[in-house]
């Protein structure tokens, strides 16, 4: 970690509390605007909750923006990891797990996206996949060949990914979550 500011995560609909005060994040909910939380912002947080006790986690910032309005209407939290999770993302999700917040994940249908999902599945008990299975993959499978990255799938631990991993090995193509935004809104 270079500093406490650079390591950050984009969020919406989260509530944070220190030992002595509540963080003034609610104004961002009311304005339906995202909030960039750095390590500095969350270092003293002892309690964190998501609006509606649900948080939807996505990899891609464009997908996050596409879901903001729906999250506001549904009164749920939203977290964008911008790819692989950093320390601030893990700290936020750890705090949400302790509060009993239900977490839902959708990411890219590629080896790296499945690795992220698998890590989250192993780490959090309040974790579910959201529009993230073999059927959704087939709806958005693209033309990008990923032969050179398929070996990353060898380390996936969760049985839940077995069918998806086999399908991706067979198809040798990635699918990107940007193509699922409308379905994600419906399923949120």
């Amino acid at each position: 970690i270079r500093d406490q500011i650079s390591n950050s995560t984009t969020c919406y609909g989260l509530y944070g509390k220190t030992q002595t005060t509540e963080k003034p994040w609610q104004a961002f909910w009311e304005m339906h605007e995202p909030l960039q939380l750095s390590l500095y912002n969350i270092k003293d947080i002892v309690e964190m909750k998501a609006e509606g006790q649900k948080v939807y986690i996505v990899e891609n910032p464009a997908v996050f923006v596409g879901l903001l309005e729906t999250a506001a209407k549904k009164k749920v939290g939203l977290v964008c990891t911008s790819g692989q999770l950093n320390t601030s993302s893990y700290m936020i999700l750890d705090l949400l797990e302790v509060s009993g917040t239900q977490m839902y994940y959708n990411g890219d249908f590629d080896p790296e996206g499945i690795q992220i999902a698998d890590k989250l599945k192993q780490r959090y008990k309040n974790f579910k996949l959201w529009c993230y299975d073999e059927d959704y993959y087939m709806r958005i499978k693209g033309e990008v060949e990923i032969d050179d990255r398929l070996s990353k799938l060898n380390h996936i631990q969760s049985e839940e990914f077995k069918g998806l991993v086999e399908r991706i090995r067979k198809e040798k193509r990635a699918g990107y979550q940007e193509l699922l935004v409308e379905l994600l809104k419906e399923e949120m």
Side-chain angles (χ1 to χ4, degrees):
I1 299 173
R2 290 186 310 259
D3 57 73
Q4 291 183 324
I5 300 297
S6 303
N7 193 305
S8 63
T9 301
T10 306
C11 304
Y12 170 78
L14 299 185
Y15 160 87
K17 185 177 177 185
T18 68
Q19 290 285 4
T20 58
T21 187
E22 294 179 11
K23 291 284 188 169
W25 301 344
Q26 188 166 350
F28 285 87
W29 295 4
E30 292 166 2
M31 294 183 298
H32 306 294
E33 292 186 9
L35 175 63
Q36 194 80 10
L37 294 177
S38 69
L39 287 176
Y40 190 84
N41 299 126
I42 58 178
K43 66 181 172 37
D44 296 324
I45 298 292
V46 294
E47 181 182 356
M48 187 177 291
K49 294 181 181 177
E51 190 171 21
Q53 282 298 94
K54 290 182 182 178
V55 68
Y56 291 85
I57 306 161
V58 297
E59 259 186 79
N60 185 292
V63 173
F64 178 91
V65 170
L67 297 174
L68 266 174
E69 188 176 312
T70 303
K73 286 179 186 172
K74 301 271 182 159
K75 298 186 189 286
V76 296
L78 196 56
V79 170
C80 180
T81 66
S82 297
Q84 295 290 336
L85 277 74
N86 61 25
T87 303
S88 66
S89 296
Y90 278 118
M91 287 176 69
I92 290 166
L93 297 181
D94 287 353
L95 286 161
L96 291 170
E97 170 81 6
V98 169
S99 76
T101 299
Q102 184 63 59
M103 294 182 257
Y104 299 88
Y105 174 81
N106 181 276
D108 289 334
F109 291 90
D110 62 5
E112 297 79 12
I114 295 171
Q115 284 177 324
I116 293 168
D118 190 48
K119 285 178 192 174
L120 294 172
K121 182 84 174 140
Q122 300 300 316
R123 187 171 177 128
Y124 302 110
K125 66 177 177 146
N126 296 328
F127 177 82
K128 293 183 180 178
L129 297 174
W130 164 48
C131 301
Y132 199 74
D133 61 25
E134 196 174 343
D135 292 333
Y136 285 99
Y137 165 68
M138 292 305 291
R139 292 181 193 194
I140 63 165
K141 178 186 68 159
E143 297 302 318
V144 177
E145 289 192 28
I146 56 172
D147 288 352
D148 58 330
R149 296 163 36 209
L150 290 174
S151 63
K152 293 179 181 181
L153 296 172
N154 295 341
H155 306 290
I156 303 302
Q157 296 178 20
S158 300
E159 282 294 314
E160 193 169 351
F161 296 112
K162 188 176 182 178
L164 177 58
V165 166
E166 288 175 13
R167 176 59 72 175
I168 290 175
R169 283 187 197 283
K170 179 181 175 188
E171 301 291 333
K172 299 178 182 176
R173 302 280 189 266
Y176 296 102
Q177 73 178 156
E178 294 92 326
L179 299 174
L180 277 179
V181 171
E182 293 307 314
L183 286 169
L184 294 172
K185 287 179 184 179
E186 290 173 23
E187 298 295 326
M188 185 178 266

